[in-house]
Amino acid sequence: MRLLVTGGAGYIGSHTVLELLQAGHDVVVLDNLCNGSLEALRRIQAIAGRSLQFVQGDIRDRALLDRLFAQQQVDAVVHFAGLKAVGESVRQPLDYYACNVAGTLNLCQAMADAGVFQLVFSSSATVYGDPAQVPVDESCPVAEPTSPYGRSKLMVEHLLHDVQRADTRWSIAILRYFNPVGAHPSGLIGEDPLGVPNNLLPYLSQVAVGKLDCLQVHGNDYPTPDGTCIRDYIHVVDLAQGHVRSLQFISRHKGCSVWNLGAGKGYSVLQVISAFEQACGRSVHYIIGPRRPGDIAANWAEPSKAERELGWKAERSLASMMADTWRWQSKNPQGYR
Ligand code: NAD
Ligand code: WQD
């Protein structure tokens, strides 16, 4: 297939573009580079031994999208482009709704006018809010997300269901990611956050490599076995392969379907720290701090719908997530810079 990948120069997008190239697809990446890297795209092409096309631009630029669809014979769109920092979304909600909601609306309008009706969308486990029970499956109610970021994902989910109901030519995969971590085993591509990271793994690995002094564990008084929060960490290469499978599915089935992409296992913050220490062979300085507002005690996926329908399940262990994160961080202490 010939694919347009929005946000393909970012963390999950870059790993997915690599898997798509390796699966034989042709890829055009559209990215405004607000949080992506051209170096990632260079490295992907080196690993795959194949080239891709890159267009620098914004999903909100309708004229650009129209030109792009007119010039390229796109069969399907894999849509990663968006803003993703939960705390920033609380301070700058308009930016999040403009980019994530209005941007996706613009993209869907351009797709419909160009006759492109296959779409894979990056949603998030955050749409489950604070779930009444874990693990969560796709039939669990989508609750009130805890941030404008989460609401922007839920709004887009509703938008996509409505669009597909109104025009059954659409074939849409909504993928709810749990906590993507890790890096490609080559150590050539990985997560490269701007500034001080918000997420656990980039923070932990920057402490281990000496860029940051100390990790703060956000609370150890949760109702979990060791008191720290539990999440479902999924290796980014497994996640990327889930996109390849979902594209195969939507090329054969019409409709708008939702799948959890998680490993189906929960690990606490302290378990992750300990696994990371094993992987990097050193101890990592951490202290216990207060709870972080908006955090929930536990969330992990019931991922069997994806296994049944897509033939996909996460294969990589927590140890390999940690080893691959460390390989990337230690080989690239300054990220792509
Ligand atoms: P990322 O920031 O690394 O990648 C997003 C990419 O989109 C970046 O390259 C950025 O430059 C680009 N981009 C942003 N706004 C754009 C715009 N208006 N036009 C064109 N390009 C734009 O993030 P990621 O971790 O790779 O996440 C990819 C997607 O997955 C996002 O939609 C995110 O919300 C979603 N998601 C991420 C996680 C996570 O924990 N990383 C979890 C669930 C869902
Ligand atoms: C994991 C655990 C923290 C940093 C977020 C978004 C979610 C999705 C994935 C996009 C939590 C603890 C963290 C630190 C810590 N993104 N932690 N010290 O919050 O589960 O999910 O990313 O869709 O929407 O909310 O991920 O990596 O920030 O935190 O103790 O310095 O690590 O409290 O328990 P989270 P995270």
Side-chain angles (χ1 to χ4, degrees):
M1 292 171 94
R2 187 162 182 75
L3 305 169
L4 174 66
V5 181
T6 73
Y11 172 45
I12 304 168
S14 58
H15 288 80
T16 303
V17 168
L18 176 56
E19 295 298 319
L20 291 169
L21 290 174
Q22 288 178 329
H25 297 291
D26 295 319
V27 175
V28 183
V29 168
L30 171 67
D31 198 300
N32 67 4
L33 299 181
C34 71
N35 200 31
S37 161
L38 282 180
E39 181 59 20
L41 296 179
R42 274 185 218 110
R43 294 185 187 187
I44 291 167
Q45 295 174 89
I47 302 168
R50 293 192 56 205
S51 57
L52 54 81
Q53 262 183 271
F54 173 65
V55 177
Q56 183 166 356
D58 199 291
I59 52 167
R60 287 164 290 182
D61 182 344
R62 179 61 198 267
L64 171 71
L65 291 179
D66 289 344
R67 273 201 309 280
L68 212 155
F69 284 119
Q71 286 161 5
Q72 313 276 350
Q73 286 296 311
V74 171
D75 300 304
V77 177
V78 188
H79 175 37
F80 295 100
L83 301 176
K84 63 162 182 180
V86 172
E88 184 183 68
S89 80
V90 175
R91 296 186 298 276
Q92 299 165 213
L94 289 175
D95 291 343
Y96 277 69
Y97 292 121
C99 182
N100 296 2
V101 182
T104 303
L105 174 66
N106 197 45
L107 175 67
C108 290
Q109 287 171 326
M111 287 175 66
D113 286 352
V116 180
F117 292 103
Q118 294 181 42
L119 174 69
V120 178
F121 172 64
S122 304
S123 189
S124 167
T126 191
V127 300
Y128 294 115
D130 191 354
Q133 98 246 359
V134 277
V136 284
D137 67 34
E138 294 82 351
S139 68
C140 288
V142 283
E144 179 59 15
T146 52
S147 68
Y149 166 74
R151 270 188 285 281
S152 75
K153 290 289 171 189
L154 192 51
M155 285 179 188
V156 171
E157 287 203 8
H158 289 310
L159 180 158
L160 295 177
H161 283 292
D162 287 343
V163 162
Q164 203 283 330
R165 256 180 234 118
D167 183 343
T168 52
R169 285 175 297 175
W170 282 93
S171 181
I172 300 174
I174 295 176
L175 305 180
R176 292 181 180 155
Y177 313 156
F178 280 68
N179 287 58
V181 298
H184 190 263
S186 62
L188 289 171
I189 57 170
E191 187 168 11
D192 184 19
L194 277 177
V196 179
N198 300 307
N199 298 111
L200 179 59
L201 255 296
Y203 205 110
L204 187 52
S205 57
Q206 290 194 15
V207 173
V209 86
K211 270 181 83 178
L212 295 169
D213 286 340
C214 175
L215 172 80
Q216 190 177 132
V217 174
H218 298 319
N220 67 348
D221 59 350
Y222 286 94
T224 61
D226 66 20
T228 65
C229 297
I230 294 176
R231 296 288 182 275
D232 183 334
Y233 296 93
I234 173 169
H235 197 296
V236 66
V237 174
D238 279 329
L239 187 64
Q241 291 171 351
H243 292 72
V244 181
R245 293 299 178 89
S246 69
L247 271 167
Q248 287 167 356
F249 183 95
I250 63 169
S251 66
R252 294 193 304 262
H253 302 83
K254 302 280 180 229
C256 180
S257 306
V258 178
W259 291 282
N260 281 343
L261 295 188
K265 286 192 201 99
Y267 291 102
S268 74
V269 177
L270 293 181
Q271 285 176 311
V272 170
I273 295 174
S274 160
F276 192 82
E277 289 178 331
Q278 291 269 324
C280 70
R282 55 183 83 171
S283 62
V284 179
H285 185 208
Y286 71 88
I287 55 163
I288 306 291
R291 289 185 178 196
R292 181 173 69 177
D295 274 346
I296 57 174
N299 196 12
W300 69 91
E302 211 296 273
S304 61
K305 182 170 186 257
E307 185 172 2
R308 250 184 353 263
E309 296 180 355
L310 305 178
W312 171 91
K313 75 176 169 55
E315 307 277 359
R316 289 162 180 79
S317 65
L318 185 66
S320 77
M321 298 179 215
M322 300 300 122
D324 291 336
T325 303
W326 178 239
R327 189 176 304 106
W328 154 253
Q329 184 69 68
S330 53
K331 280 175 83 166
N332 306 271
Q334 304 306 324
Y336 290 114
R337 286 163 286 271

